[in-house]
Amino acid sequence: MVSRSALLALVALLAVGLAPVSARQLLDADEVEKAALLPNGGYKNDKPLIGILTQSCHYCPGRSYVAAGFVKWIEAAGGRAVPIRFYTSDDELHRLFNAVNGMIFPGGLTDIWLDDPYVIAARKLWTWAKEANDAGETFPIWGTCLGFQLLHILEANVSFPDLLVRTNSVAHASILEFTDAAAESTLFAGAGKALMDKMASPEYNITMENHMFGLPPPNYKKYPILEKTFTILSTTVDRNGIEYVSTAEHKHYPFYATQWHPEKPPYEFGMHEIPHSLDAILVSQHLANVFVDKARYSSHKPESHEEELVMLIYNTKPYFTLKDSVMDPSYDGPDMTYFFDSKTDVPDNALAAPHRLSTSFRNRVYQPNGDAALRSSWSEY
Ligand SMILES: *[C@@H]1O[C@H](CO)[C@@H](O)[C@H](O)[C@H]1NC(C)=O
Ligand SMILES: *[C@@H]1O[C@H](CO)[C@@H](O)[C@H](O)[C@H]1NC(C)=O
């Protein structure tokens, strides 16, 4: 039986097809009718906007940055990126939250102490997201690497040295050891057994780890709130046999966390350890689709078409940072990077450096005691 709305939509579509309307009218009619034609009736939008929380950067032409891989990752799944500055005013943060359909807490290089401005901004977005979901809205959050850690830090409300341990897993293409929960999880249920078997196999190593710290599974028991709120979907061991949680999803909210980097295989080529096989790309695309599709169930939207245009990342020109050494010299940075807001203390010639200076990030030493040293050297991808 054909539903009344589908029938109306069909009639409208035929009318649009027959009438000599202008392009602008076509666009409007298209948008209205598409909503009625969407599958399963649950979608609230079909062009989701995804906020990406920017991170501060030093020795770079801007006050904060976003790695372009995250932008392209969501674009491949039909989303569009909106940079959200962590230092923006509360009013602006809230306005943007109401305009986007989901958030990414990306991997990167920034302090994640509970009182850091970055964590404070993330906590606001995360709290609003919980409230929105509680109120019947759908608002997904994705955390990659440092974002994975951030989602756990926010939930446990403990400082990162309490939660994380040092791991030897920088530039490490590895595997996921799935838990029993993985097969039925939101993230992996649709991935297919064949691809999951490859993710779990050291003959493939298609999941890219790149971090100096990890969350050991026993810490889910040490902070029982984690066990109550997150389901561990996979663990991974580092080069020294230290086990850490590599994938988790929230039990009550559409919040997803990977310690590894699904966005890197299709979009990052500077670090030679990154896998680029078809299987690695399929894993990346699968997870982008799961996440961005959640965002289609969000009814948030910009206040106007003008606001939508202004907030899109397309207003910013990405730099080819793999070629031009504009990041902190010790940072094995993204291939392409967006920078936001000017920083007057950056010399003009910072952009002119011929190549990336070093890969010394890999050799950095973690100082477990001495907050000051840790603060200045804390970093995570
Ligand atoms: C988080 O912990 C701090 C103390 O470290 C406390 O002041 C604050 O109220 C806690 N926040 C929540 C939401 O529990
Ligand atoms: C995958 O990684 C493991 C552990 O690092 C290693 O032993 C194995 O040789 C790797 N597999 C391939 C195909 O490189």
Side-chain angles (χ1 to χ4, degrees):
M1 194 176 131
V2 181
S3 78
R4 175 199 284 242
S5 61
L7 206 59
L8 282 176
L10 196 63
V11 169
L13 206 66
L14 285 173
V16 167
L18 296 173
V21 289
S22 74
R24 182 66 207 161
Q25 281 172 311
L26 255 180
L27 202 66
D28 288 342
D30 189 38
E31 285 177 16
V32 172
E33 297 316 326
K34 259 197 294 181
L37 287 173
L38 292 172
N40 74 30
Y43 285 165
K44 300 292 194 299
N45 76 82
D46 69 345
K47 38 184 193 178
L49 295 162
I50 307 294
I52 304 180
L53 196 58
T54 71
Q55 288 177 13
S56 60
C57 59
H58 316 283
Y59 305 108
C60 68
R63 192 170 167 198
S64 67
Y65 80 97
V66 161
F70 290 99
V71 175
K72 299 188 235 189
W73 186 62
I74 59 169
E75 284 178 351
R80 290 168 301 158
V82 175
I84 299 189
R85 282 108 162 132
F86 70 90
Y87 43 84
T88 200
S89 70
D90 278 8
D91 281 355
E92 178 67 359
L93 198 64
H94 198 251
R95 188 182 71 85
L96 287 167
F97 170 74
N98 283 320
V100 297
N101 306 109
M103 272 303 299
I104 290 182
F105 296 159
L109 234 166
T110 200
D111 287 328
I112 49 174
W113 297 87
L114 288 173
D115 62 352
D116 273 307
Y118 189 74
V119 176
I120 291 170
R123 184 182 288 284
K124 284 174 190 155
L125 292 160
W126 171 87
T127 303
W128 295 332
K130 284 191 165 186
E131 288 167 1
N133 284 298
D134 285 342
E137 179 62 71
T138 299
F139 191 94
I141 299 181
W142 184 282
T144 292
C145 200
L146 181 137
F148 167 102
Q149 299 168 357
L150 182 56
L151 281 172
H152 284 85
I153 285 168
L154 292 173
E155 198 73 57
N157 194 28
V158 292
S159 190
F160 75 85
D162 294 328
L163 204 56
L164 308 177
V165 300
R166 184 84 166 101
T167 57
N168 182 344
S169 41
V170 169
H172 193 214
S174 190
I175 64 163
L176 305 183
E177 292 180 40
F178 290 112
T179 61
D180 290 344
E184 313 250 295
S185 66
T186 303
L187 289 186
F188 295 117
K193 185 175 179 324
L195 196 56
M196 283 181 76
D197 285 349
K198 287 176 179 171
M199 282 185 252
S201 165
E203 284 172 27
Y204 291 86
N205 290 341
I206 51 174
T207 53
M208 184 62 192
E209 306 281 346
N210 195 37
H211 50 95
M212 303 200 307
F213 298 85
L215 171 50
N219 280 0
Y220 264 54
K221 298 224 184 315
K222 183 172 166 197
Y223 300 103
I225 182 77
L226 293 181
E227 201 162 47
K228 253 171 64 186
T229 52
F230 278 105
T231 303
I232 298 177
L233 304 184
S234 75
T235 59
T236 297
V237 294
D238 78 351
R239 293 187 183 91
N240 302 330
I242 305 279
E243 184 184 32
Y244 55 89
V245 180
S246 45
T247 315
E249 65 185 32
H250 205 284
K251 290 186 201 298
H252 313 299
Y253 300 108
F255 297 172
Y256 311 100
T258 58
Q259 179 63 75
W260 50 288
H261 287 266
E263 85 290 352
K264 281 194 191 296
Y267 304 118
E268 297 286 357
F269 295 86
M271 179 181 279
H272 69 85
E273 292 88 348
I274 296 172
H276 302 289
S277 66
L278 173 61
D279 295 317
I281 307 299
L282 289 173
V283 171
S284 175
Q285 292 172 342
H286 169 71
L287 293 179
N289 279 328
V290 170
F291 172 59
V292 172
D293 195 51
K294 283 284 167 202
R296 294 190 180 94
Y297 292 83
S298 158
S299 62
H300 284 194
K301 57 176 192 285
E303 282 153 24
S304 65
H305 188 52
E306 287 67 33
E307 183 198 346
E308 178 177 342
L309 295 179
V310 166
M311 68 192 213
L312 287 167
I313 203 159
Y314 305 135
N315 292 289
T316 307
K317 176 176 89 76
Y319 286 93
F320 187 10
T321 36
L322 180 65
K323 182 158 151 271
D324 303 318
S325 171
V326 297
M327 305 288 293
D328 176 332
S330 64
Y331 177 50
D332 250 349
D335 283 22
M336 299 204 55
T337 313
Y338 292 89
F339 297 102
F340 304 98
D341 307 318
S342 63
K343 197 170 53 180
T344 48
D345 59 354
V346 178
D348 285 347
N349 64 6
L351 277 174
H355 55 74
R356 288 194 306 166
L357 288 177
S358 91
T359 54
S360 64
F361 175 81
R362 299 179 189 196
N363 304 320
R364 272 194 197 177
V365 179
Y366 171 53
Q367 305 286 346
N369 38 34
D371 270 9
L374 191 53
R375 252 177 201 276
S376 61
S377 72
W378 164 254
S379 50
E380 201 65 14
Y381 278 158

